[in-house]
């Protein structure tokens, strides 16, 4: 980067407190539901109570006659208005996804009718007064069952439950298995999880029929992509839609796509010519917002007797739920690029099969396929070590990709940029006092206690999914604005981007304002998900800043009558090398750039934009260690120690990074300890509220030790890798391995997460009986 | 299902309001919709999340679990009324200092719960803090920095 002078007070790398906090701390935040407009109407939705049924009749007469009700719509009114997901393979099967059901419903919660009324309460009253008669149809909820011959169909009209299959194969897998001394086999399942952002989804559409424009406030992670999706579904020009992501109360992947209610509300607003709002209740959020995981893995690892990994076969069966959102089909594909983890395995076969069921659609949720892939290889590694009677760390070390091998092309054909897996493992062992943990475990085991130690070492890709944009603009007075396509919803971009820009421009951070989340203000953008902001948004910003500095130097050279090559950056502006008294400030440069002060042949202004796409992901990595204890009488699991060492390259703001680790970890522990969205065999959700679905609370969090190593990303202008999903990816497999270690004296081989007390208690009882 | 409106007299953040409301109106909706105090959030429909926490006659309550008519005659403080002008309440300041918030949605409820805890138990330790947060959910922070922030606020000289 353009930093000739070393700066002792670099902002990059400092734990700057967040500039976004004061409004949020004083009740001045503005989330979708806080936007007030005159003449606003409210939508409430009557939803299916059946997981699979033909709709015999819908009686809306009573609802339509209720006071304050403006209109009631059913699928007959909204017709072909529908969501459309991308085709990933030519053979992919795609069910209809109408905004209101047409004839058949395929999941509990599918929208059947919408009431538009003068207040939310009146809309809800009227929606409750709608009567629907159903002719129920048979139901399938489990993806593996859905793929069996003769399985019940989730969508009769499709004639199959199969959505898509993808395969990747490298080397000679059959030969590797034929030559192996041992094959380690495991079948495991990741539980279905609920993203549960504290702010449920919501949308407010404001039409302008005269100007033919539509303004939409949405709780979204990516306003530009949402705008395109709305344009496609509505058949309304993208350049006439203005999407605003105001303050957004969390998303964790689930707010990356457009939902039926978003399209419906825009449609109703345009039809009625009035602003219309819909806010999900928590129950609606449980029934309609994309859920995570729900993936079964059948895997085989071929080994030599001394623990060399020779070959890997993975078959994933993914449960997509009943409908395809734009991102629903994405997460299972992660296995295609992540299957071998940190290990040198070149003979690899991965197959992904995805299926429809009569359940809530799935989609990206923090980790989005990464936690499943890490769980798969790390459980296999541990079980293989046990099968061979080897130390699990020794087995891992024996197979790690070595530092000098990077960039390394893996057995699934992707190139890891950098890594040093022993380094992070060693740091985690040091921080956990590993030998002491093992001694403690062995002593406890002697006493008959169920204590276990588990490790996971993992890679985690970040920063994919296309480009990101960044722009830096210096206005006439020298005021600096950063425009970013990374739409922040808690990640602290307003602070961190100001840090980065101020650092690169050598100005005080207070001089920089960061704008995001608005499709008119911001050039273009992709959004915030998949741990991509630091890598992609940061990369775009750094590139734009570099271009801006280059141009500003030319203008400064003009002002100082020097050669641009002799101009250097100094705090607050520019100087001529060797002539420190000849300086100009950013304000002077900006003034000149807007008043005929640019060199001949150069455009006026100081505004540079970068669309950044390195065409590769950043491969962060880490090592997590867990010590667990299980109460043999109650099955209760306690995590007594958890050590997380993550290597995310250069750290922009350690305070923000550590908090991302905390947040990801809490969600990872939710998966390991308590969270699971359950449907009974009739397809009814049994965990549809916060009374039944257990999310971590303050008391859930175990004692933590967080460490880091730093291996810069050579393919990124800032040297960064993503961190948002670190805790979600690495910690659950470490806990799983620790739990299996604790239960190993009982001969228990594998149990799927979450490790609730009843589940462990039952497993212990069975094992002792038999 | 409209029922005759009932009178409600409340003082919110020092300002008194005399008005009439539907008997079924929840306090949280009264604050948000009728008074425009949107800092108090709704995060659930089963009284689990605590995003709606306010102080009612000095005690922390979930305002989604109180009818507006039940608050008749009460003094209410919401997140908008906690700071002293431009000076943040020690809990608010500590949340910024310790990075106790990310998306900010749970934050008003967290701050109101914590402020009440420190009123009643100025010496609260981590255990007591975690216990007091049983009714407040956060999906972003993993609670680590929230607990730290409350501990920091507890240690402020008052
Ligand atoms: S909204 Fe009151 S507890 Fe959730
Ligand atoms: S900060 Fe987002 S829910 Fe707590």
């Amino acid at each position: 980067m353009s930093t000739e002078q070393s700066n002792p007070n670099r902002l990059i790398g400092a734990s700057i407190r967040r500039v976004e906090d004061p409004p949020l701390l004083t009740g001045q935040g503005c989330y979708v539901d806080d936007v007030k407009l005159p003449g606003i109407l409210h939508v409430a939705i009557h939803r299916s109570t059946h997981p699979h049924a033909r709709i015999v009749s819908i009686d809306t007469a009573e609802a339509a006659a209720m006071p304050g009700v403006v209109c009631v719509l059913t699928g007959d009114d909204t017709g072909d208005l529908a969501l459309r997901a991308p085709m990933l393979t030519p053979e992919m099967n795609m069910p209809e996804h109408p905004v209101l059901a047409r004839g058949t419903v395929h999941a509990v919660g599918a929208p059947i009718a919408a009431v538009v009324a003068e207040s939310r309460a009146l809309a809800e009253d009227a929606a409750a007064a709608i009567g629907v008669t159903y002719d129920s149809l048979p139901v399938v909820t489990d993806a593996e069952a859905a793929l069996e011959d003769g399985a019940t169909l989730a969508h009769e009209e499709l004639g199959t439950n199969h959505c898509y299959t993808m395969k990747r194969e490298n080397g000679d897998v059959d030969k590797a298995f034929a030559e192996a001394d041992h094959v380690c086999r495991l079948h495991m399942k990741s539980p279905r999880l609920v993203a549960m952002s504290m702010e449920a989804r919501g949308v407010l559409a404001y039409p302008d029929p005269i100007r033919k424009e539509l303004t939409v406030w949405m709780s979204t992670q990516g306003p530009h992509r949402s705008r395109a999706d709305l344009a496609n579904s509505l058949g309304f020009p993208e350049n006439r839609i203005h999407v605003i992501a105001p303050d957004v109360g969390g998303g964790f992947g689930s707010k990356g796509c457009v939902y039926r209610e978003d399209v419906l509300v825009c449609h109703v607003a345009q039809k009625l010519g009035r602003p219309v709002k819909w806010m999900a209740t928590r129950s609606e959020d449980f029934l309609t917002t994309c859920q995570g995981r729900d993936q079964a893995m059948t895997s085989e690892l071929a080994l030599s007797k001394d623990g060399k990994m020779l070959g890997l076969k993975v078959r994933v069966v993914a449960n997509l739920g009943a409908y395809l959102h734009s991102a629903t089909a994405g997460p299972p594909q992660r296995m295609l690029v992540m299957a071998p983890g940190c290990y040198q395995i070149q003979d690899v076969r991965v197959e992904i099969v995805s299926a429809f069921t009569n359940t809530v659609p799935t989609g990206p949720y923090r980790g989005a396929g990464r936690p499943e892939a890490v769980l798969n290889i790390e459980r296999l590694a541990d079980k293989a070590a046990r099968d061979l009677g080897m130390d699990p760390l020794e087995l891992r070390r024996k197979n790690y990709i070595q530092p000098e091998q990077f960039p390394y092309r893996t057995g699934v054909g992707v190139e890891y940029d950098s890594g040093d897996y022993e380094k992070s493992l060693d740091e985690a062992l040091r921080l956990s006092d590993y030998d002491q943990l093992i001694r403690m475990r062995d002593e406890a085991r002697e006493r008959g206690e169920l204590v276990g130690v588990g490790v996971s070492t993992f890679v985690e890709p970040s920063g994919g999914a296309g480009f990101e944009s960044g722009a830096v603009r210096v206005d006439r007075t020298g005021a600096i604005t950063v425009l970013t396509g990374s739409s922040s919803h808690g990640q602290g971009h307003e602070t961190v981007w100001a840090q980065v820009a101020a650092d690169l421009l050598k100005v005080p951070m207070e001089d920089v304002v960061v704008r995001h989340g608005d499709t008119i203000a911001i050039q273009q953008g992709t959004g915030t998900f998949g741990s991509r902001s630091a890598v992609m948004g940061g990369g775009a910003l750094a590139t734009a800043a570099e271009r801006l500095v280059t141009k500003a130097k030319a203008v400064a050279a003009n002002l100082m009558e020097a050669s641009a090559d002799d101009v250097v950056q100094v705090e607050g502006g520019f100087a001529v090398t060797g002539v420190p008294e000849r300086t100009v400030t950013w304000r002077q440069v900006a003034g000149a750039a807007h008043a005929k002060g640019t060199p001949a042949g150069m455009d006026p202004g100081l505004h540079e934009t970068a669309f950044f796409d390195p065409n590769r992901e950043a491969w962060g990595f880490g090592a997590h260690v867990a010590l667990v204890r299980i109460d043999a009488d109650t099955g209760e699991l306690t995590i007594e120690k958890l050590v997380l060492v993550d290597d995310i390259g250069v750290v922009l703001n350690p305070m923000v990074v550590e908090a991302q680790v905390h947040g990801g970890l809490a969600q990872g522990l939710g998966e390991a300890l308590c969270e699971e969205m359950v449907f009974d065999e009739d397809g009814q959700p049994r965990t549809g509220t916060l009374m039944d679905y257990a999310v971590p609370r303050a008391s859930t969090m175990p004692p933590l030790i967080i460490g880091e190593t730093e291996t810069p990303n050579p393919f990124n202008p800032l040297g960064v890798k993503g961190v948002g999903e670190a805790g979600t990816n690495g910690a659950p497999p470490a806990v799983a391995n620790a739990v299996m270690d604790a239960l190993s004296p009982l001969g228990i081989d594998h149990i799927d997460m979450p490790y609730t007390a009843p589940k462990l208690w039952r497993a212990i009882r069975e094992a002792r009986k038999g | 299902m409209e029922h005759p409106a009932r009178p409600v007299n409340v003082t919110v953040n020092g300002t008194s309001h005399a008005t009439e409301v539907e008997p079924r109106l929840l306090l949280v909706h009264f604050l948000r919709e009728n008074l425009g105090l949107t800092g108090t959030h709704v995060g659930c429909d089963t009284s689990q999340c605590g995003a709606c926490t306010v102080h009612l006659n000095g005690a922390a309550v979930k305002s989604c679990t109180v009818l507006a008519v039940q608050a008749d005659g009460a003094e209410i403080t919401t997140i908008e009324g906690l700071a002293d002008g431009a000076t943040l309440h020690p809990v608010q300041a500590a949340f910024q200092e310790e990075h106790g918030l990310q998306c900010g949605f749970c934050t008003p409820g967290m701050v109101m719960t914590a402020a009440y805890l420190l009123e009643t138990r100025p010496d609260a330790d981590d255990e007591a803090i975690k216990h007091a947060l049983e009714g407040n959910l956060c999906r972003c922070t993993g609670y680590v920095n929230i607990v730290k922030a409350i501990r920091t606020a507890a240690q402020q000289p008052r």
Side-chain angles (χ1 to χ4, degrees):
Chain A
M1 296 310 309
S2 312
T3 44
E4 294 105 322
Q5 284 200 334
S6 74
N7 182 348
N9 310 314
R10 282 205 73 172
L11 289 162
I12 290 178
S15 284
I16 309 272
R17 299 298 180 264
R18 298 205 318 174
V19 300
E20 40 275 87
D21 289 354
L24 301 177
L25 279 164
T26 51
Q28 305 304 316
C30 183
Y31 302 83
V32 173
D33 201 21
D34 303 340
V35 179
K36 308 282 176 209
L37 295 173
I40 199 166
L41 296 171
H42 300 261
V43 167
I45 294 172
H46 186 98
R47 297 181 182 280
S48 175
T49 53
H50 286 244
H52 196 192
R54 260 187 289 277
I55 298 171
V56 177
S57 68
I58 309 173
D59 183 358
T60 60
E62 188 189 337
M66 285 169 75
V69 171
V70 176
C71 63
V72 182
L73 289 87
T74 67
D76 288 343
D77 304 297
T78 50
D80 291 337
L81 203 60
L83 296 189
R84 288 173 227 295
M87 288 293 277
L88 299 175
T89 71
E91 297 81 29
M92 185 164 163
N93 289 305
M94 181 107 50
E96 297 290 316
H97 199 177
V99 299
L100 292 174
R102 306 197 70 190
T104 310
V105 284
H106 309 90
V108 172
I112 293 176
V115 177
V116 187
E118 298 289 344
S119 82
R120 181 167 179 180
L122 295 172
E124 283 178 7
D125 287 345
I130 291 171
V132 179
T133 51
Y134 301 89
D135 195 355
S136 43
L137 294 166
V139 166
V140 61
T141 59
D142 179 83
E144 289 179 298
L147 292 171
E148 281 165 14
D149 285 341
T152 299
L153 293 176
H155 288 262
E156 287 185 314
E157 58 288 0
L158 274 186
T160 173
N161 292 324
H162 177 246
C163 177
Y164 71 88
T165 295
M166 286 186 190
K167 288 184 189 159
R168 191 165 289 189
E169 180 155 355
N170 187 57
D172 193 338
V173 181
D174 293 331
K175 180 159 166 274
F177 274 78
E179 289 172 358
D181 297 318
H182 178 70
V183 175
C184 170
R185 295 186 172 82
L186 258 182
H187 177 271
M188 60 201 114
K189 248 188 115 183
S190 286
R192 180 182 279 243
L193 303 176
V194 179
M196 248 293 298
S197 56
M198 289 309 303
E199 181 206 25
R201 287 189 298 113
V203 57
L204 162 60
Y206 176 80
D208 184 337
I210 309 276
R211 293 182 184 81
K212 296 192 176 58
E213 307 235 311
L214 179 67
T215 304
V216 188
W217 287 261
M218 269 176 87
S219 187
T220 174
Q221 296 175 226
H224 289 91
R225 295 205 309 177
S226 293
R227 181 180 60 166
D229 288 348
L230 286 176
N232 282 331
S233 280
L234 293 165
F236 192 73
E238 189 180 3
N239 54 3
R240 293 184 177 277
I241 304 177
H242 176 192
V243 174
I244 300 168
D247 287 322
V248 172
F252 315 112
S254 72
K255 290 179 182 167
C257 60
V258 153
Y259 287 84
R260 294 190 269 210
E261 296 84 0
D262 302 321
V263 175
L264 176 72
V265 161
C266 290
H267 169 77
V268 172
Q270 289 186 309
K271 193 170 138 155
L272 300 176
R274 287 177 67 178
V276 177
K277 177 155 84 178
W278 170 81
M279 287 301 306
T281 62
R282 178 56 57 195
S283 310
E284 282 181 297
D285 209 60
F286 268 99
L287 291 178
T288 61
T289 299
C290 286
Q291 302 181 339
R293 320 278 190 270
D294 201 344
Q295 194 170 294
M297 283 86 71
T298 309
S299 302
E300 295 177 66
L301 180 63
L303 299 121
S304 69
K305 56 177 173 301
D306 60 349
K308 190 89 198 116
M309 296 177 180
L310 305 173
L312 176 66
K313 295 185 205 167
V314 184
R315 180 172 196 264
V316 170
V317 174
N319 191 337
L320 301 180
Y323 303 101
L324 276 184
H325 285 279
S326 59
T328 293
Q333 297 172 51
R334 272 286 156 201
M335 191 67 84
L336 295 174
V337 294
M338 287 183 69
C342 328
Y343 308 110
Q344 302 188 41
I345 318 172
Q346 286 295 326
D347 300 307
V348 184
R349 178 184 300 154
V350 184
E351 182 184 36
I352 316 286
V353 191
S354 65
F356 297 112
T357 61
N358 299 111
T359 60
V360 178
T362 55
Y365 164 59
R366 205 165 192 163
R370 296 169 186 80
E372 295 90 318
V374 176
L375 179 75
N376 185 63
I377 191 70
E378 288 304 295
R379 281 293 300 125
L380 274 174
D382 247 41
K383 179 160 186 292
R386 185 172 312 156
D387 289 355
L388 296 173
M390 265 178 88
D391 178 82
L393 299 185
E394 188 197 334
L395 181 119
R396 285 181 169 84
R397 289 189 201 274
K398 200 165 229 163
N399 291 283
Y400 280 152
I401 302 160
Q402 294 302 310
E404 64 278 5
Q405 291 178 285
F406 292 95
Y408 177 84
R409 182 157 290 272
T410 71
V412 284
V414 292
E415 195 179 82
Y416 294 177
D417 49 78
S418 55
D420 190 341
Y421 307 139
E422 299 233 16
K423 185 171 69 173
S424 54
L425 175 62
D426 288 339
E427 179 63 2
L429 298 182
R430 186 184 72 78
L431 289 173
S432 62
D433 202 353
Y434 187 78
D435 294 339
Q436 171 67 12
L437 289 190
I438 296 294
R439 263 197 302 281
M440 262 170 53
R441 176 200 66 185
D442 291 346
E443 285 164 18
R445 208 167 267 176
E446 296 267 297
R447 297 191 295 270
E449 296 165 15
L450 300 176
V451 174
V453 176
V455 172
S456 87
T457 62
F458 56 94
V459 289
E460 50 168 345
S462 57
F467 72 93
E468 194 49 274
S469 80
V472 188
R473 190 179 80 212
V474 190
D475 290 321
R476 285 181 169 77
T477 60
I480 299 163
T481 305
V482 167
L483 306 165
T484 176
S486 299
S487 189
S488 188
H489 47 285
Q491 294 82 0
H493 297 153
E494 287 173 37
T495 305
V496 180
W497 281 190
Q499 264 178 273
V500 170
D503 188 292
L504 300 179
L505 269 50
K506 293 186 185 290
V507 296
M509 206 184 127
E510 301 70 53
D511 290 1
V512 181
V513 167
V514 176
R515 304 281 177 203
H516 63 86
D518 185 312
T519 59
I520 286 186
I522 310 301
Q523 51 284 342
Q524 245 301 348
T526 299
T528 295
F529 54 91
S531 304
R532 73 195 298 279
S533 286
V535 177
M536 302 298 296
L541 170 57
T543 307
E546 187 178 11
R547 289 178 191 164
L548 185 87
V549 167
T550 303
K551 179 167 186 183
K553 275 184 178 173
V555 178
N558 217 21
L559 277 177
M560 295 189 287
E561 295 173 358
S563 150
D565 293 340
D566 294 334
V567 173
V568 290
Q569 276 187 278
V570 293
E571 284 309 314
F574 301 88
V576 179
T577 339
V579 198
E581 64 283 2
R582 271 171 77 196
T583 61
V584 285
T585 62
W586 272 102
R587 188 187 176 107
Q588 289 170 303
V589 170
H594 290 88
K596 299 195 179 296
T598 44
M602 186 179 274
D603 285 348
L606 264 187
H607 183 163
E608 292 294 329
T609 304
F611 279 56
F612 179 74
D613 185 356
N615 286 310
R616 61 186 305 140
E617 290 193 278
W619 290 81
F621 57 94
H624 294 180
V625 179
L627 169 71
V628 306
R629 176 181 296 274
I630 299 165
D631 183 323
D633 296 327
T634 64
E636 199 186 342
L637 172 67
T638 311
I639 300 177
E640 299 199 328
K641 192 177 215 176
L642 198 53
V643 175
L644 292 80
V645 173
D646 293 295
D647 191 317
I648 58 156
V650 173
V651 171
L652 300 176
N653 180 325
M655 176 191 83
V656 166
V657 162
E658 190 168 309
Q660 284 293 317
V661 174
H662 294 160
L665 171 67
Q667 293 182 347
L669 291 182
E671 174 172 14
L673 300 176
C674 52
E675 291 186 39
E676 184 170 25
M677 181 74 193
V678 180
F679 297 87
D680 67 18
E681 64 243 32
D682 299 326
Q684 287 293 338
R686 294 179 59 182
T687 49
T689 73
L690 281 169
M691 290 199 281
D692 320 293
Y693 185 86
V695 295
R697 290 165 194 270
S699 54
T700 312
M701 297 304 285
L704 282 185
I705 299 174
I706 294 182
E708 57 168 15
T709 59
E710 184 175 313
T711 309
N713 176 357
F715 299 99
N716 183 278
L718 294 168
V720 298
K721 305 175 186 181
V723 70
E725 294 159 316
T728 330
N729 296 337
V735 172
N737 283 338
V739 168
M740 292 315 127
D741 183 47
L743 298 177
S744 61
L746 299 174
I748 295 172
D749 221 24
H750 179 79
I751 303 175
D752 287 323
M753 298 186 288
Y755 299 123
T756 60
K759 192 192 268 185
L760 293 185
W761 179 80
R762 247 176 261 123
I764 293 166
R765 223 167 71 124
E766 288 302 308
R768 286 197 167 150
K769 257 200 252 161
Chain B
M1 261 130 280
E2 291 194 74
H3 294 276
R6 299 271 193 87
V8 173
N9 295 293
V10 287
T11 304
V12 181
N13 303 331
T15 307
S16 53
H17 301 267
T19 178
E20 295 199 330
V21 301
E22 246 194 289
R24 67 172 178 174
L25 185 70
L26 297 174
L27 179 58
V28 66
H29 292 136
F30 176 72
L31 294 170
R32 289 182 51 83
E33 307 302 328
N34 300 36
L35 302 188
L37 294 169
T38 54
T40 303
H41 296 155
V42 178
C44 73
D45 42 19
T46 50
S47 283
Q48 246 87 35
C49 77
C52 61
T53 305
V54 300
H55 294 178
L56 182 79
N57 293 328
V61 299
K62 292 179 173 177
S63 63
C64 73
T65 315
V66 179
L67 294 166
V69 291
Q70 291 177 292
D72 189 29
E75 292 258 359
I76 295 166
T77 306
T78 69
I79 188 70
E80 288 93 341
L82 197 63
D84 181 4
T87 311
L88 294 180
H89 182 280
V91 171
Q92 290 170 315
F95 266 64
Q96 179 168 31
E97 183 53 31
E98 302 293 356
H99 191 21
L101 65 155
Q102 292 183 27
C103 79
F105 197 81
C106 72
T107 309
M110 288 286 178
V111 168
M112 296 309 282
T113 298
Y116 175 66
L117 170 70
L118 297 187
E119 287 290 321
T120 47
R121 284 200 57 183
D123 60 341
D125 60 7
D126 278 14
E127 275 323 294
I129 293 169
K130 288 182 182 180
H131 185 72
L133 294 179
E134 272 303 298
N136 289 77
L137 298 179
C138 174
R139 197 60 159 163
C140 296
T141 64
Y143 307 95
V144 180
N145 290 348
I146 291 178
V147 173
K148 216 196 265 180
I150 301 173
R151 202 192 313 129
T152 299
Q155 284 154 3
Q156 295 298 309
R158 250 166 301 182

